Amino acid sequence: MEAAMDLMRRMPPSLSQQALDSLLALLPAHSSELLSRSDQPLQVAYDEEFDKHYLLCDYNRDGDSYRSPWSSKYKPELEDGVQPSPELRKLEQEANEVFAIYRDQYYEGGISSVYVWEPEDGKGFAACVLIKKDGSDGGDGRRGLLQEGAWDAIHVVEVKEDQERQMGHYCLTSTVMLALTTANRASGPFSLSGSITRQMESDISLEPGHLCNMGRLIEEMESKLRNGLDQVYFGKTKEVVFTLREPLGVMSASSHVGQTLQRMIVNDLAHSR
Amino acid sequence: MEDRISEEDEYEELADDQKVAIGKWFLLNAPPGQVSQVAKDVREVLMDERLYDQAAKEAFPEYNVKNMISLEMPDGSGQVLLTEFGQLDRSRYLDPRTASVAVVDHVKQVCTEVRPADDEDLPSAYVEGFRFSVDAALMKYVDDAFQGGECSVYCTKGKDVEKSGGEFELTVVICNSSYSPKNFRGGCWQSVWRVLINEELRTATLQGTISVNAHYFEEGNVQLESSRKFNDTVTLQDGKDAGTTIVHVIEHLESVYLSSLEEQYSNLSDRTFKELRRKLPVTRTLFQWDKALQLSLTREITREFSNKR
């Protein structure tokens, strides 16, 4: 199983779906562990009653059916599928509405879904917020810059309340997966893909309400992940390329040319004493 | 989140050849420098030494050529680059620079033997003159620009051409790969340039493909894949070394590629990424969570009103 996870980590991100499918076929006995430990892009379903799309994950699944956050009904139909308590369902409905607006403002399109449930130990509650955006030219991309563009965000937050001190303890684990290929024909295909996962914990006053608190935390996390991917991670891949093939004519201290020059100068100095 | 008991308690077992195919797929897609770790994992997940050996036997020759692996030649004359252009058969590869044939064990990734090449595998002295000149200029360029890179020049068409005997084609190959697990990075640059030389017209027509792959995986996993094709023609002047002229064009075009990559990266943050997610909403402020709650309540009330109509 560990060998399987190591393979998943080493395979290029663009092939991770195929890698997972292969491992599931090879090791069917480990399928639930494989599925829970690997991140895959979110799948979409359609709620006919509400004329809206929703996203699928383990938290809205019961058997082979998935529950819509809009109608709260399972598809394929289930007679007595798992449902959140009325209280949690209310929070869930509100969260879906509000995150839809959040999603619109940051993503200018896309699909979002929020699922709320009670954890096994019965204390507090947990929620997952899923956002999927297709930014390609054929999808929701507004500027026609991407031939392929996929962003999948999975946020799972566990909440514990301290009623006495009116404080909430929020533990957020977020994963962002993305893949983009630019549409510039002239300069050839340019594809970036990858994923990162981070965690954040915070103690916040219960006054603004759970939705506000979770929302702000997720917003902060998404910004961190987006900027991290953009500046750090993608920047590092650029560094790799520029180390493989150095830009000639650019004299930098660390470049091959620069180092050779430095050695020459040092040698000259040594000889001229 | 509940699991229902699956109707089929027995899992469908894959056929042997399907398992081998999967093992082979993982090996073929191992990132630069990581094939031995991937091999170790594949051995474990296949859980059958016989199947692993089969997968390795099929995968490694393909992997080595696709990734242009270079192997140390046992006679100390340098490295031999394994490419489709130098492939004489499944385990013998031509090294034009030393005019020798290297015999390799693909799975072990070692060169077991080196022999001088047969005349029939080598180009005519006339063509070799050009090949040598390009190779000399190429080695200097690769030494300057590609730290640790390897290169080779093959004659891929018209190797028996004599002076004024028509066109011939040289293929220039550059490969540089790196893997640094402690820096969580790895990558590979490959360029293949087909150079068609027409001595009568004094032209060299170049057709090149550059492919780059870069991987960064510190607490995350991100990769870049990029490639570009180029076409260019250059005049071979009297008194000017053909090799220098040709390599100069290659160097220039590869630098052009680097600049276009630079541009793609600089557009990323402000433009390209926005297609996926903006840095901030159009309002340029953070999302107003408290206002949104009020808005959603209003929407609900509005919806209830419109439902009642």
Side-chain angles (χ1 to χ4, degrees):
Chain A
M1 182 61 208
E2 284 317 308
M5 291 316 297
D6 191 59
L7 275 175
M8 286 299 299
R9 279 190 289 270
R10 291 185 190 274
M11 285 296 115
S14 55
L15 296 177
S16 77
Q17 185 69 54
Q18 214 176 333
L20 182 62
D21 288 340
S22 301
L23 288 170
L24 287 171
L26 266 183
L27 310 168
H30 293 273
S31 56
S32 48
E33 197 184 341
L34 273 170
L35 284 168
S36 70
R37 284 176 71 179
S38 35
D39 302 307
Q40 295 302 315
L42 300 163
Q43 287 184 297
V44 185
Y46 179 65
D47 182 332
E48 286 95 356
E49 200 181 311
F50 276 71
D51 186 25
K52 282 191 178 166
H53 288 97
Y54 61 101
L55 298 167
L56 311 182
C57 69
D58 227 24
Y59 304 111
N60 67 327
R61 181 179 71 81
D62 190 349
D64 291 323
S65 298
Y66 291 88
R67 181 173 66 89
S68 157
W70 310 108
S71 62
S72 204
K73 293 198 185 132
Y74 277 88
K75 193 179 173 185
E77 268 184 51
L78 269 187
E79 250 182 45
D80 45 11
V82 172
Q83 292 283 345
S85 69
E87 213 181 87
L88 290 183
R89 172 63 189 150
K90 185 163 178 296
L91 175 62
E92 190 181 82
Q93 278 176 304
E94 251 175 16
N96 274 288
E97 293 275 336
V98 173
F99 270 100
I101 306 172
Y102 165 86
R103 188 215 354 101
D104 221 27
Q105 289 202 3
Y106 272 102
Y107 293 85
E108 300 174 318
I111 305 167
S112 57
S113 297
V114 183
Y115 303 106
V116 182
W117 69 94
E118 205 178 59
E120 274 174 24
D121 62 5
K123 297 191 192 142
F125 68 92
C128 74
V129 177
L130 311 170
I131 301 180
K132 187 177 184 75
K133 168 80 188 277
D134 175 357
S136 69
D137 208 14
D140 275 340
R142 301 238 168 134
R143 302 164 186 87
L145 292 174
L146 295 177
Q147 194 188 311
E148 184 215 353
W151 165 291
D152 289 76
I154 301 169
H155 304 280
V156 180
V157 56
E158 288 164 19
V159 184
K160 302 264 187 288
E161 288 175 9
D162 183 338
Q163 288 291 352
E164 246 181 60
R165 293 185 310 165
Q166 281 291 292
M167 294 287 285
H169 182 80
Y170 302 83
C171 183
L172 173 65
T173 305
S174 302
T175 300
V176 167
M177 288 167 272
L178 76 76
L180 60 86
T181 303
T182 57
N184 189 338
R185 298 268 165 77
S187 51
F190 175 85
S191 291
L192 283 166
S193 60
S195 72
I196 47 175
T197 300
R198 289 289 184 274
Q199 275 193 326
M200 234 170 152
E201 264 187 75
S202 195
D203 289 288
I204 315 171
S205 149
L206 289 176
E207 207 223 301
H210 286 305
L211 194 45
C212 261
N213 290 345
M214 292 193 300
R216 291 204 176 107
L217 214 59
I218 288 173
E219 181 178 26
E220 196 186 320
M221 176 67 102
E222 283 202 333
S223 292
K224 260 202 197 146
L225 293 179
R226 187 227 193 256
N227 292 335
L229 276 168
D230 176 11
Q231 283 142 31
V232 179
Y233 281 80
F234 292 150
K236 296 278 188 190
T237 59
K238 179 181 150 185
E239 259 176 55
V240 170
V241 181
F242 280 71
T243 316
L244 287 172
R245 164 48 161 97
E246 289 179 26
L248 297 171
V250 173
M251 212 70 71
S252 76
S254 56
S255 78
H256 184 58
V257 180
Q259 292 275 296
T260 314
L261 207 62
Q262 276 181 21
R263 274 196 294 273
M264 271 170 60
I265 295 171
V266 168
N267 273 338
D268 278 345
L269 285 174
H271 286 137
S272 59
R273 277 204 210 117
Chain B
M1 282 190 291
E2 301 195 349
D3 268 322
R4 301 200 168 213
I5 297 171
S6 185
E7 294 203 338
E8 31 179 64
D9 281 322
E10 287 167 22
Y11 298 111
E12 221 180 277
E13 187 78 18
L14 285 178
D16 274 358
D17 60 343
Q18 287 173 307
K19 291 187 184 175
V20 166
I22 291 178
K24 185 179 167 187
W25 182 85
F26 277 111
L27 287 169
L28 283 180
N29 287 295
Q34 300 187 41
V35 73
S36 40
Q37 290 94 330
V38 169
K40 205 164 131 265
D41 291 334
V42 170
R43 225 194 202 110
E44 269 192 60
V45 296
L46 282 179
M47 296 182 287
D48 186 333
E49 204 58 32
R50 196 182 36 101
L51 293 179
Y52 169 75
D53 284 339
Q54 182 65 29
K57 210 172 80 164
E58 285 177 35
F60 271 92
E62 241 183 87
Y63 173 87
N64 289 340
V65 169
K66 184 176 95 155
N67 287 278
M68 298 187 183
I69 299 295
S70 59
L71 300 175
E72 189 76 43
M73 289 192 282
D75 63 358
S77 54
Q79 307 250 344
V80 57
L81 204 61
L82 302 186
T83 66
E84 59 180 289
F85 313 106
Q87 184 161 355
L88 297 172
D89 64 36
R90 216 172 140 79
S91 52
R92 293 185 318 132
Y93 293 84
L94 177 69
D95 176 43
R97 193 170 297 148
T98 56
S100 44
V101 172
V103 182
V104 309
D105 178 328
H106 280 293
V107 178
K108 293 203 180 109
Q109 293 189 313
V110 287
C111 170
T112 54
E113 199 194 317
V114 171
R115 300 182 220 132
D118 291 330
D119 277 343
E120 60 188 33
D121 292 325
L122 296 173
S124 68
Y126 172 67
V127 170
E128 174 61 22
F130 282 90
R131 195 210 68 77
F132 182 84
S133 142
V134 174
D135 197 37
L138 184 67
M139 283 199 285
K140 189 173 173 305
Y141 164 55
V142 169
D143 199 45
D144 278 342
F146 297 86
Q147 277 222 52
E150 295 290 332
C151 61
S152 196
V153 183
Y154 304 89
C155 174
T156 40
K157 274 197 199 125
K159 69 175 178 54
D160 297 321
V161 164
E162 299 293 342
K163 191 167 168 75
S164 306
E167 297 182 319
F168 59 94
E169 185 192 66
L170 297 177
T171 299
V172 172
V173 173
I174 302 173
C175 177
N176 193 8
S177 85
S178 81
Y179 174 57
S180 171
K182 73 170 171 37
N183 289 321
F184 306 100
R185 59 183 76 187
C188 182
W189 166 297
Q190 282 186 1
S191 24
V192 175
W193 294 91
R194 305 267 196 180
V195 186
L196 194 63
I197 298 177
N198 187 318
E199 220 238 336
E200 239 181 277
L201 298 175
R202 306 196 143 299
T203 56
T205 307
L206 292 92
Q207 242 188 9
T209 307
I210 304 173
S211 339
V212 169
N213 164 256
H215 201 184
Y216 177 66
F217 46 95
E218 181 171 13
E219 286 195 37
N221 182 9
V222 162
Q223 80 160 1
L224 161 78
E225 273 174 9
S226 164
S227 69
R228 183 150 173 198
K229 293 201 199 308
F230 285 100
N231 282 302
D232 204 353
T233 306
V234 70
T235 317
L236 300 173
Q237 292 170 2
D238 273 340
K240 258 200 165 168
D241 179 44
T244 315
T245 310
I246 291 167
V247 171
H248 188 72
V249 176
I250 292 176
E251 181 189 321
H252 170 71
L253 293 176
E254 294 191 339
S255 299
V256 166
Y257 170 71
L258 269 193
S259 311
S260 79
L261 257 192
E262 177 85 62
E263 203 186 310
Q264 298 265 32
Y265 273 108
S266 70
N267 278 336
L268 202 56
S269 185
D270 295 323
R271 292 173 57 207
T272 321
F273 219 118
K274 245 186 183 157
E275 290 284 68
L276 292 177
R277 182 187 190 276
R278 302 177 61 98
K279 269 193 202 150
L280 278 178
V282 179
T283 56
R284 297 207 188 180
T285 57
L286 290 175
F287 187 71
Q288 315 264 283
W289 291 97
D290 33 13
K291 293 218 179 86
L293 253 167
Q294 293 177 12
L295 202 71
S296 88
L297 283 169
T298 325
R299 275 162 77 158
E300 236 182 271
I301 296 169
T302 320
R303 194 185 299 125
E304 286 198 29
F305 268 127
S306 52
N307 282 342
K308 282 184 185 143
R309 277 198 212 121

